[in-house]
Amino acid sequence: MSTPYPFTAIVGQDDLRLGLLLNAVSPAVGGVLVRGEKGTAKSTAVRALAALMPEVPVVPGCRFSCDPASPDPACPDGPHAEAAGVSRPARTVELPVGASEDRLVGALDIERALSEGVKAFEPGLLADAHRGILYVDEVNLLHDHLVDLLLDAAAMGASYVEREGVSVRHAARFLLVGTMNPEEGELRPQLLDRFGLTVEVSASRDTDERVEVVRRRLAYDDDPEGFAARWAEEEGALRERIAAARALLPRVVLGDGVLRQIAATCAAFEVDGMRADIVMARTATALAAWAGREEVTADDVRQAALLALPHRRRRNPFDAPGLDEDKLDQTLDEAGPPENSDGDDQPDPDGGGDDDGGGGGGGGVPPQADGEDRTPPQGSEGDSPSPAPEGAPDAPGRPAGGEQQPVASAEPFRTKMLSVPGLGEGAAGRHSRARTEHGRTTGARRPEGALTKLHLAATVQAAAPHQRARGRAGRGLVVRRDDLRQATREGREGNLVLFVVDASGSMAARQRMSAVKGAVLSLLLDAYQRRDKVGLVTFRGKEAEVALPPTSSVDAAAARLESLPTGGRTPLAAGLLKAHDVLRVERLRDPSRRPLLVVVTDGRATGGPEPVALAGRAGRLHRSEGTASVVVDCESGYVRLGLAGELARELGGTAVTLDELRADSIAGLVKDVTAAGRAA
């Protein structure tokens, strides 16, 4: 077994360490979500925490880690006779992103349950993590139904496995830690709320601190055991402090004044529900115990708010998480200080003894200056592109002739559902129809591997004709492996929605770009809710560019869209061909995810020889490969040329106007009714 990197040797990252330590002191806090860029010691800190956790007494031979002092009466391995327990180190169990539902919650042998009437249960990762740490790296990439199961078990302290009326329950209490890179997509607000705390991490910009990080990491890689031995004393001191804080926790007093401050803070920041109040109360209590005090102070409440509220403030996926600290201080002052609070004690996340250059006391949300807009427009390093000399040719990263400054987008609205026709088999989502593991049952088939979803009626129908030949004597049905039938189900999949946005001068006329950006932003919001991947191609001047490669981060797409300038000619064919290149690569990477091409344009094509004919050929190229497409017609004015409709016919798709795109559009409703009447 490899030697883990010592927790006390981690340089900086005060908030990350404090959040983990508070959960080690009080698992009731509800876990921690660690958000940050890659390479910021997120995984290292989580794996290092296990070595600081107290040893766990367990019933010998119990696969579910029952406590010998109070064994679970419903334990599948029980009932347990009175016996001396054995101690083992706390486990850190990692949940892979591609894990199946059976791997997470456990598998029930349906064949034995039907033929023998026994509950043959193979525990999953939730059972392994009981009374330990469950670590989910890249939790934002985990399938939604797995995240739901995971958080339900964390909230209830138990896991339930049900297969066709046969159920198994076992205890599942663990410290839940999730890490994620926001650039790869966000968690839904409902799931964010289920994590007790959140911390933002980023790489230090201090040269000395970065040097120390590299020095320690190289020393650890050269001699892991020797490096760990040099930090053994600090690790031991921190381990003892965690144990002392756990012992002190039941004696910490949470006064009425503190509760008033907590309630006033949650109300002032308009968080939904009451979970935030409860988490803040538990976090403030853990902070007091960590500082060695028996009373909660105003500083504890403030620190608890900085850890428990930022991720609960998001109202849509384009809102950046964070907390207005001036407003927080004002709210705490107006609510009045708690009784017997002097505010002098500050929590120390280091546990004493290690000098890692990070400073003490945590600090809630770290500075946002280098965390906001981590994805500047292509061709820049965060600075605005310099203006081109008059008469200079267009070039990537340089404003085209006649370019206008980016305009703000209009308010987003609820859009009509644009789906891919047919039945797919892509990643689970909420968009187009697909064969999935979850959804309504549509039929049955022979299982190709392990049976996961039994179709009971089809199984009985397959076994019934053979009962006499198999010598059935009693009431039970004689079922063999060949009789079992797997249920086929239909649900929804996530698609790749590739936006091709016309940013030419014609789109800037009559202030149309604001409405266009509002429409694309609305479609991005819809893609977020339906768990799609999105990409963004823009074209103007003489060429097209991939403004955002396909990603799960719709807020990154929204940021690119907001800073999109306009101007120049309309190289429509270049935009469609660039989109074709993007889709070709994505088909190789993820062949099961079906694409939806959304072209946002007025249909005009200018620049170069025969621009309209070239655009038509590019459209037919997409149609020949069966790419589903929608053209959002942005043409306005009394005289309409209908060029977007012509483009839609070349693509083999449909055209909708900006008005028809709205879910509550009267024009769209009339169009739908007309189409339905023709079909009838």
Side-chain angles (χ1 to χ4, degrees):
M1 181 177 179
S2 60
T3 304
Y5 192 92
F7 190 88
T8 50
I10 296 173
V11 178
Q13 305 298 8
D14 296 337
D15 294 330
L16 170 59
R17 290 182 293 151
L18 179 61
L20 292 173
L21 289 170
L22 292 178
N23 275 274
V25 171
S26 176
V29 165
V32 59
L33 176 65
V34 185
R35 299 165 43 92
E37 58 196 20
K38 51 189 175 293
T40 48
K42 299 188 298 290
S43 301
T44 299
V46 176
R47 296 187 179 106
L49 180 66
L52 302 174
M53 302 285 283
E55 288 198 338
V56 179
V58 297
V59 173
C62 178
R63 297 175 298 168
F64 301 87
S65 303
C66 280
D67 187 347
S70 57
D72 182 7
C75 176
D77 284 355
H80 298 297
E82 293 186 9
V86 295
S87 294
R88 62 162 176 78
R91 293 173 179 160
T92 296
V93 177
E94 296 191 29
L95 175 62
V97 169
S100 65
E101 180 180 338
D102 286 344
R103 184 72 184 99
L104 176 63
V105 300
L108 193 61
D109 192 330
I110 297 297
E111 184 176 0
R112 291 190 64 191
L114 288 176
S115 59
E116 302 176 27
V118 297
K119 296 181 181 180
F121 181 68
E122 185 65 29
L125 295 177
L126 291 180
D128 293 341
H130 180 44
R131 306 174 68 198
I133 300 171
L134 182 59
Y135 171 46
V136 189
D137 193 12
E138 306 295 352
V139 66
N140 52 324
L141 303 183
L142 200 64
H143 287 311
D144 281 354
H145 73 280
L146 292 182
V147 178
D148 287 332
L149 289 171
L150 179 65
L151 294 175
D152 283 343
M156 296 186 297
S159 174
Y160 294 86
V161 183
E162 298 199 10
R163 296 287 188 274
E164 304 299 336
V166 181
S167 62
V168 173
R169 173 212 169 272
H170 65 82
R173 293 184 295 276
F174 45 82
L175 193 167
L176 177 62
V177 182
T179 58
M180 60 174 283
N181 183 348
E183 294 177 355
E184 296 172 342
E186 288 285 357
L187 276 172
R188 287 183 287 140
Q190 298 92 327
L191 301 179
L192 281 172
D193 184 57
R194 301 289 287 276
F195 281 93
L197 310 180
T198 185
V199 294
E200 296 274 345
V201 295
S202 59
S204 172
R205 301 298 184 256
D206 181 80
T207 302
D208 293 337
E209 195 166 303
R210 295 175 75 97
V211 167
E212 186 62 21
V213 170
V214 175
R215 181 182 292 117
R216 293 186 187 184
R217 186 69 208 190
L218 294 178
Y220 170 77
D221 291 341
D222 289 340
D223 182 12
E225 294 183 0
F227 184 82
R230 291 196 291 274
W231 291 89
E233 183 177 348
E234 288 81 356
E235 291 281 287
L238 188 54
R239 191 179 297 110
E240 291 176 1
R241 186 174 177 185
I242 292 173
R246 280 190 168 191
L248 178 62
L249 186 65
R251 303 198 302 272
V252 175
V253 177
L254 191 70
D256 289 342
V258 170
L259 287 174
R260 182 169 293 278
Q261 283 189 325
I262 291 172
T265 301
C266 293
F269 284 98
E270 299 179 350
V271 295
D272 295 330
M274 295 297 298
R275 184 175 284 119
D277 303 63
I278 296 170
V279 170
M280 271 191 66
R282 289 172 174 167
T283 305
T285 303
L287 282 162
W290 180 244
R293 289 182 273 100
E294 294 188 5
E295 289 185 352
V296 177
T297 68
D299 288 332
D300 296 330
V301 176
R302 186 181 192 279
Q303 183 71 65
L306 291 172
L307 293 170
L309 296 187
H311 60 301
R312 294 183 167 90
R313 287 279 298 142
R314 301 190 69 187
R315 287 295 181 265
N316 65 64
F318 310 132
D319 291 339
L323 212 63
D324 185 340
E325 296 195 33
D326 291 336
K327 180 179 178 180
L328 173 61
D329 292 334
Q330 180 182 353
T331 302
L332 293 175
D333 290 342
E334 291 175 353
E339 300 86 346
N340 303 322
S341 172
D342 54 17
D344 292 334
D345 294 318
Q346 294 286 342
D348 174 16
D350 297 337
D354 81 284
D355 179 13
D356 57 20
V365 180
Q368 298 292 321
D370 56 353
E372 309 258 357
D373 191 15
R374 301 183 192 277
T375 53
Q378 190 170 345
S380 73
E381 292 296 331
D383 298 326
S384 299
S386 57
E390 186 174 354
D394 298 336
R398 177 178 291 176
E403 178 181 296
Q404 298 185 15
Q405 292 296 323
V407 297
S409 62
E411 284 296 316
F413 51 84
R414 190 167 64 89
T415 65
K416 295 177 102 39
M417 181 175 175
L418 307 177
S419 60
V420 179
L423 193 64
E425 295 182 344
R430 299 182 176 184
H431 205 147
S432 305
R433 293 172 55 219
R435 299 182 186 92
T436 60
E437 287 293 319
H438 300 271
R440 63 185 183 89
T441 301
T442 58
R445 60 176 175 81
R446 292 180 182 272
E448 298 175 357
L451 180 70
T452 55
K453 302 292 183 182
L454 177 74
H455 194 297
L456 186 59
T459 299
V460 171
Q461 186 177 12
H466 308 290
Q467 296 305 294
R468 181 176 296 179
R470 293 174 183 174
R472 174 184 171 186
R475 299 178 59 184
L477 193 67
V478 181
V479 179
R480 294 181 179 173
R481 175 69 184 175
D482 291 342
D483 302 327
L484 298 178
R485 295 294 183 270
Q486 176 86 18
T488 57
R489 302 192 175 192
E490 182 179 312
R492 295 282 175 176
E493 67 177 357
N495 297 125
L496 165 60
V497 183
L498 182 61
F499 294 92
V500 182
V501 179
D502 185 348
S504 64
S506 64
M507 296 292 289
R510 303 185 187 93
Q511 299 295 322
R512 272 189 287 171
M513 201 59 194
S514 177
V516 168
K517 285 187 176 183
V520 178
L521 197 64
S522 304
L523 290 169
L524 282 172
L525 182 59
D526 183 72
Y528 166 80
Q529 294 168 340
R530 300 189 188 282
R531 314 305 290 165
D532 292 325
K533 290 180 69 174
V534 296
L536 179 62
V537 172
T538 64
F539 58 93
R540 63 186 179 90
K542 294 183 179 180
E543 60 184 25
E545 67 172 354
V546 181
L548 184 72
T551 175
S552 297
S553 179
V554 296
D555 50 345
R560 296 294 177 90
L561 178 71
E562 200 67 31
S563 61
L564 180 67
T566 58
R569 294 183 179 272
T570 312
L572 178 57
L576 294 175
L577 291 175
K578 181 68 72 174
H580 179 267
D581 291 341
V582 172
L583 294 180
R584 177 178 55 81
V585 173
E586 286 302 308
R587 284 190 181 99
L588 296 175
R589 290 177 177 171
D590 190 358
S592 64
R593 187 181 288 270
R594 297 188 295 163
L596 174 63
L597 184 68
V598 180
V599 184
V600 185
T601 181
D602 56 9
R604 290 180 173 85
T606 60
E610 300 183 344
V612 176
L614 283 176
R617 285 199 291 271
R620 291 192 293 275
L621 179 61
H622 282 282
R623 183 175 63 183
S624 67
E625 296 185 353
T627 302
S629 59
V630 176
V631 178
V632 180
D633 184 358
C634 302
E635 191 175 25
S636 61
Y638 294 106
V639 179
R640 294 176 179 267
L641 302 178
L643 297 176
E646 289 290 338
L647 176 62
R649 283 189 285 275
E650 297 286 9
L651 287 165
T654 58
V656 296
T657 65
L658 288 175
D659 287 338
E660 291 171 346
L661 193 60
R662 294 177 178 270
D664 54 357
S665 166
I666 296 179
L669 178 62
V670 171
K671 183 177 179 179
D672 288 347
V673 170
T674 304
R678 288 174 181 170

